[in-house]
Amino acid sequence: MPSQVTLTVNGSTVEVPAGATVAVAVAMAGQACRISTSGEPRGPLCGMGICFECRATINGNAHCRSCQILCEPGMEVETDE
């Protein structure tokens, strides 16, 4: 098993430890997961998939809870930021 996984977040390449969630990759890329209706950047709050604050588009699938999905090589993540 590789010790690092490479994926893209909003077009930027990010390398994260193997076993990290997509929410970790978004944070390491310095991005917010989404923007609230009032314009505030939002990120993971609960870390267990209940709050939906970490939603992102992953490999073309919208509204994925990024705190619940492990990073895979070549994964493409898009946030609202």
Side-chain angles (χ1 to χ4, degrees):
M1 178 174 185
S3 62
Q4 298 287 314
V5 175
T6 303
L7 63 152
T8 61
V9 176
N10 295 331
S12 296
T13 302
V14 179
E15 194 170 284
V16 298
T21 64
V22 173
V24 169
V26 171
M28 288 180 71
Q31 303 287 313
C33 289
R34 63 184 200 86
I35 303 299
S36 72
T37 57
S38 64
E40 297 294 318
R42 304 299 294 207
L45 179 65
C46 72
M48 58 185 184
I50 294 173
C51 71
F52 290 83
E53 291 296 323
C54 67
R55 289 175 295 168
T57 300
I58 301 173
N59 291 333
N61 297 311
H63 307 294
C64 296
R65 291 174 282 180
S66 66
C67 71
Q68 296 294 294
I69 299 172
L70 296 179
C71 294
E72 296 178 1
M75 185 177 268
E76 294 184 18
V77 180
E78 297 175 23
T79 69
D80 288 346
E81 187 168 77

